[in-house]
Amino acid sequence: MTLLLSALTVGLIFALLALGVLVSFRIFGIPDITTDGSFTLGASVTAVLCVHGVNPILATLAGTLAGAGAGMLTGILHTKFHINALLSGILMMTALYSVNLRVMQKSNLPLMQYTTLGSWGEAAGRRVLGEEAFLVLGWRVSAGEVALFLGALGAVTVVAWLLYLFFRTHVGVAMRATGNNAQMIRALGANVQVYIILGLGIANGLVALGGSLLAQFQGFADVQMGIGMIVWGLASVIIGEALTGSRSLGLTLVGAAMGSVLFRLLVAIALRWGLDPNDLKLITAVFVFIALVLPGLIKKLRRRRHPVIPAT
Amino acid sequence: MLHTFRQLSIGLGLMALCIGVLLLSDLDSRVRPGDQGRRHGELPRVAVLQANAQWIFDEGVAGIIAGLAEEGFRDKHEIHLRKFNPMGDSNVSNSIAREVTEGGYDLIITTTTPMLQVVANANRARRVPQLFALVSIPSETGTGVSELDPLNHPPYLTGYGTRLPAAQAFRIAREINPRLQRIGTVWNPQEVNSEVQIRDARAVCKELGMELVDATVDNTGAVGEATASVIARGIEAFFIPGDITVMPAIHNVFQITRRANIPTFSIFPTDVPKGSLFGVGADYYEVGRGTGRLAAEVLRGRNTATIPVTDYMPEKIVLNEEARMRLANPQAWDFPESLRKRAYAIVTPEGALNVLRDDPAPGAPAPTPSPTPAPSPSP
């Protein structure tokens, strides 16, 4: 049960990363490698501030803003200095390696003894429920873990909702259009460069928020924790798209979050079944493959059963 | 609305399916009324965790299993042993940590610092007995282990610290060549262990009046270039640290240093026959064995709160005559007799490994105080 709760919680935290990648990859069409660095940046800034006794909410906010700043810098490199988008991301990620080390002063910063959103959540859970743990259908469930899960769920819901609202405002629609057809938007008199800079800022802010929350959930920030994050973000986005089969704004947002949670659940199952640890990565790859192929198969089967007659 | 729901249905269905499968697989970890821990007749369950598939960790884990077996705790006979390895993925480590702290295990043995941290964090509420090994400095892991008082640690958490012997390696290098002044190295600042080694190395260099010339790398591909740059800055010997980024490029390092006629030394004795002048390191299999024996004590009922956190560094020195003879000035690097006596093995000028001693661990396992009070002298 705890494994399930933790898989769901981590899946939700990673959903923030997936939402960030969704913004850069799907809306602007840029596979933004800054992600690997800004994920760690969010974690390291938050961790350092928590160690210095700053309020965890402020620390989380600072981590998010730092990530957004990094993303905007990537945008500036890309738009103002005309560096290829992929290269700008690589440049920024490389620079962030050193920045993260500077921020943390060392490669690994434990948070277990400090006040974080994680420790707050656990304490709140115990206070509300009045006890350490309770039984659900016979499983022993810790109040703190339920609180963290609900907190993560709340955070993702709020963030996804805000994103949805934002991308329906004038600026948001113009941003989406920038990704689709920059020339048209330029012809309409909008400043495309500003939109790209802002968009990458939002994307990396979300990624950094994910990193910040993960560090607080797992009790330490590590300078290597961001490596490969862009891949998992992309995988979640693509799984989400395959699952919903839609490119409408709301559904892609929900799909990306769902893809991320589903992915963690599959890893949890592989662990629970005690599969050989050396095969873990192979099994995850097979799972992702199935998740990608299954929706298409189901659709094909449906179509075969109820053939659609094209309207003339 | 209905349309939206239909489009989400596959995803929701898959998620429900996964949750169902996960809960079904977890049925036996439910608490039964009146259940007090393990059911009668069931074997104790032990989880052994390593962070990555690296030979050092593999050796440590093999040692743990051997140590347990020596004490009469064999897998599937006296205990149920399960190995976990997240393959360096910190998010999988989180899931594993929850699984072992919640999965009804009687003892968790973690190797490496990140595994210690992630499990200790998950274990705060559950307090399953946890032993750690292959950790450089336990007091710096933030898990509540005190630097000064070995008995001041969380009651369910104890183990062995094994400091990587970078300082010893530098001392031995100076012992071999008393005129040694400048030593070069390449390391990755993102790794805690490298950071600790370089800190130690700097301190010992300062103490002995030597100078450390270093370059940092963030990926294995850059190691060769960095090595060449350090050599260009003028060094007399090269130190290969225990660094996960540098180690895979070790052959490249040997090639470049050999061309420049510069001897190398490392903290991994196993790598010496490949081309190092000497290596001094911990015998990780031995560390694992010691941990396995300690685990056996805990399984027999010893309280982890009474076990002090101690340093355990079974030292193993391997010297390489072949590499020495290949140098332009082999006499400057002659191994002193006192060092030869301490060596575990020597690679002969012909390249054969000559093991001098059977016991690799002159330090002997750190003695742990007996759990039971000393028997009173009988009349």
Side-chain angles (χ1 to χ4, degrees):
Chain A
M1 191 67 176
T2 305
L3 187 61
L4 171 65
L5 270 181
S6 109
L8 289 173
T9 312
V10 175
L12 284 167
I13 292 175
F14 273 79
L16 294 169
L17 165 91
L19 289 177
V21 173
L22 180 79
V23 172
S24 55
F25 180 61
R26 267 301 169 225
I27 294 185
F28 291 98
I30 299 173
D32 181 16
I33 300 184
T34 318
T35 306
D36 280 20
S38 53
F39 189 80
T40 316
L41 183 66
S44 54
V45 168
T46 305
V48 165
L49 291 177
C50 283
V51 167
H52 284 94
V54 174
N55 180 307
I57 293 179
L58 289 180
T60 309
L61 206 64
T64 310
L65 288 178
M72 287 168 88
L73 274 178
T74 306
I76 290 172
L77 287 181
H78 173 47
T79 55
K80 303 287 179 197
F81 295 94
H82 307 291
I83 301 172
N84 171 294
L86 204 59
L87 279 179
S88 320
I90 294 174
L91 266 180
M92 203 58 213
M93 176 196 73
T94 313
L96 284 178
Y97 273 135
S98 301
V99 173
N100 289 329
L101 275 171
R102 280 274 169 211
V103 171
M104 293 210 283
Q105 299 290 330
K106 50 183 180 175
S107 47
N108 178 299
L109 201 59
L111 289 173
M112 267 169 255
Q113 289 146 350
Y114 302 98
T115 313
T116 61
L117 286 182
S119 65
W120 268 9
E122 282 183 7
R126 279 195 292 271
R127 209 171 321 127
V128 171
L129 293 162
E131 51 192 334
E132 281 273 328
F134 52 93
L135 290 180
V136 177
L137 299 172
W139 281 288
R140 190 172 174 279
V141 179
S142 126
E145 272 158 6
V146 174
L148 289 182
F149 164 66
L150 292 177
L153 185 64
V156 174
T157 313
V158 169
V159 168
W161 183 244
L162 286 177
L163 263 186
Y164 181 72
L165 291 181
F166 173 74
F167 279 118
R168 283 162 60 101
T169 59
H170 282 302
V171 178
V173 171
M175 261 189 194
R176 282 156 63 198
T178 307
N180 273 339
N181 189 339
Q183 244 169 358
M184 185 196 78
I185 282 297
R186 208 172 288 128
L188 289 176
N191 191 338
V192 172
Q193 296 192 342
V194 170
Y195 287 146
I196 292 182
I197 295 172
L198 206 65
L200 288 183
I202 294 173
N204 284 289
L206 290 170
V207 170
L209 176 62
S212 160
L213 292 185
L214 185 70
Q216 298 182 68
F217 173 75
Q218 68 182 11
F220 67 90
D222 190 282
V223 85
Q224 302 202 29
M225 67 192 277
I227 295 174
M229 281 305 138
I230 179 76
V231 178
W232 297 132
L234 287 174
S236 303
V237 169
I238 294 167
I239 292 178
E241 276 177 7
L243 290 178
T244 57
S246 159
R247 297 200 58 177
S248 83
L249 178 62
L251 281 175
T252 30
L253 288 175
V254 177
M258 234 161 44
S260 160
V261 173
L262 196 59
F263 189 73
R264 287 294 138 198
L265 283 173
L266 292 172
V267 172
I269 291 177
L271 282 176
R272 191 66 193 83
W273 283 357
L275 302 173
D276 187 329
N278 288 341
D279 298 339
L280 191 61
K281 293 262 169 175
L282 177 66
I283 293 159
T284 16
V286 171
F287 278 152
V288 173
F289 170 73
I290 294 172
L292 285 177
V293 173
L294 193 65
L297 262 176
I298 293 177
K299 233 174 254 167
K300 214 183 258 175
L301 283 179
R302 264 193 212 152
R303 224 174 287 152
R304 206 168 288 167
R305 223 175 288 159
H306 318 280
V308 183
I309 299 147
T312 47
Chain B
M1 186 70 200
L2 191 69
H3 181 67
T4 310
F5 187 75
R6 197 177 295 157
Q7 279 187 305
L8 288 179
S9 62
I10 299 178
L12 290 174
L14 275 177
M15 263 160 66
L17 182 74
C18 285
I19 292 175
V21 169
L22 201 53
L23 285 180
L24 270 180
S25 338
D26 215 24
L27 275 182
D28 51 348
S29 70
R30 283 193 299 177
V31 184
R32 285 162 194 75
D35 192 359
Q36 295 292 322
R38 193 165 64 246
R39 284 182 292 284
H40 186 69
E42 218 172 76
L43 299 178
R45 299 175 67 204
V46 179
V48 178
L49 284 72
Q50 74 183 85
N52 217 327
Q54 294 241 344
W55 66 264
I56 308 167
F57 309 151
D58 291 346
E59 278 200 356
V61 168
I64 290 172
I65 294 167
L68 275 165
E70 275 167 31
E71 295 289 320
F73 288 97
R74 291 165 304 162
D75 186 22
K76 297 198 179 69
H77 292 91
E78 289 81 21
I79 50 171
H80 272 308
L81 188 137
R82 237 190 99 186
K83 290 196 272 182
F84 292 88
N85 181 349
M87 295 284 162
D89 186 332
S90 69
N91 311 304
V92 177
S93 319
N94 273 308
S95 301
I96 290 180
R98 304 281 155 172
E99 163 72 11
V100 294
T101 49
E102 293 297 323
Y105 284 91
D106 299 273
L107 175 65
I108 306 169
I109 307 174
T110 56
T111 60
T112 70
T113 300
M115 281 326 265
L116 160 62
Q117 288 174 321
V118 75
V119 173
N121 186 39
N123 203 7
R124 273 183 305 177
R126 209 41 56 93
R127 300 170 163 247
V128 181
Q130 182 186 345
L131 292 183
F132 58 81
L134 272 61
V135 171
S136 303
I137 308 179
S139 60
E140 282 188 17
T141 54
T143 47
V145 175
S146 158
E147 191 188 345
L148 303 170
D149 179 4
L151 275 170
N152 183 2
H153 55 76
Y156 51 90
L157 176 74
T158 187
Y160 287 130
T162 304
R163 201 168 178 122
L164 294 170
Q168 271 115 302
F170 277 72
R171 281 181 206 285
I172 292 176
R174 190 61 181 273
E175 201 181 324
I176 296 173
N177 183 355
R179 292 164 69 184
L180 181 61
Q181 280 299 322
R182 284 167 71 85
I183 299 176
T185 192
V186 167
W187 60 294
N188 181 355
Q190 294 185 62
E191 272 184 39
V192 193
N193 283 327
S194 310
E195 202 183 292
V196 173
Q197 291 171 66
I198 298 302
R199 207 195 303 153
D200 287 355
R202 285 217 175 94
V204 77
C205 280
K206 200 171 166 196
E207 180 197 323
L208 300 177
M210 299 193 292
E211 197 182 334
L212 186 71
V213 182
D214 66 328
T216 56
V217 288
D218 63 11
N219 66 71
T220 303
V223 172
E225 225 171 282
T227 308
S229 80
V230 168
I231 291 174
R233 282 153 69 192
I235 53 167
E236 295 144 82
F238 188 89
F239 167 63
I240 305 170
D243 180 308
I244 301 178
T245 311
V246 178
M247 297 295 289
I250 193 162
H251 285 284
N252 197 0
V253 173
F254 286 146
Q255 216 176 17
I256 295 166
T257 49
R258 200 171 293 167
R259 253 185 253 138
N261 195 29
I262 284 168
T264 59
F265 60 98
S266 79
I267 56 162
F268 291 114
T270 345
D271 284 334
V272 172
K274 294 180 194 160
S276 283
L277 182 65
F278 74 89
V280 51
D283 185 325
Y284 288 101
Y285 182 80
E286 269 313 304
V287 175
R289 252 180 75 196
T291 314
R293 287 196 292 263
L294 195 62
E297 285 185 37
V298 175
L299 287 173
R300 285 198 199 98
R302 182 167 177 194
N303 184 354
T304 42
T306 66
I307 304 174
V309 173
T310 40
D311 266 332
Y312 179 27
M313 223 301 283
E315 190 186 69
K316 191 174 177 182
I317 299 174
V318 177
L319 307 173
N320 189 340
E321 282 286 3
E322 188 202 10
R324 188 175 77 85
M325 296 314 284
R326 220 186 289 117
L327 292 171
N329 50 345
Q331 56 286 7
W333 294 93
D334 201 4
F335 303 123
E337 201 46 42
S338 57
L339 185 64
R340 285 175 191 272
K341 271 187 197 145
R342 275 154 64 202
Y344 162 72
I346 290 188
V347 179
T348 62
E350 295 77 38
L353 185 72
N354 186 9
V355 177
L356 306 172
R357 275 206 325 264
D358 280 343
D359 60 318
T368 50
S370 162
T372 45
S376 50
S378 49

